[in-house]
Amino acid sequence: REAADAALARLQPLRDRLRVQAVHGDVTDDNIVLGDDGPGVIDFGDVSDGWLVAELAATVTSALHHVPDEPLAVLDVVEAFHAEAPLDD
């Protein structure tokens, strides 16, 4: 609880500036499927309103377990995310 409270306190000055929208919240290997038309997302039980950047954080977390010794490899994930849903500073 202390860690969550500390994180929320640090985010407080930014909260009004963070983009809120419907997010999946659980974009992981288990929730991505590949079909003839490309990738898709399943398991919509986690969808809610949330910060767009939190969607990126969840996705990066999933990607990190594939390359735990190469954390900068997730920059490709960030770049691809930004191409589809641009983030600002």
Side-chain angles (χ1 to χ4, degrees):
R1 177 66 191 205
E2 284 180 34
D5 288 343
L8 288 171
R10 291 193 66 178
L11 284 169
Q12 187 57 41
L14 303 172
R15 290 181 75 154
D16 292 338
R17 294 181 39 218
L18 294 174
R19 186 166 140 194
V20 175
Q21 68 178 57
V23 296
H24 187 274
D26 193 18
V27 180
T28 64
D29 295 351
D30 295 333
N31 292 328
I32 301 293
V33 294
L34 296 176
D36 294 337
D37 296 327
V41 179
I42 59 173
D43 183 17
F44 292 97
D46 296 311
V47 173
S48 65
D49 287 339
W51 295 322
L52 175 63
V53 72
E55 184 81 285
L56 174 58
T59 304
V60 165
T61 300
S62 178
L64 275 173
H65 90 273
H66 291 287
V67 288
D69 297 329
E70 300 175 46
L72 294 181
V74 300
L75 292 178
D76 291 337
V77 173
V78 174
E79 185 177 327
F81 188 95
H82 179 70
E84 293 297 320
L87 300 168
D88 62 21
D89 291 341

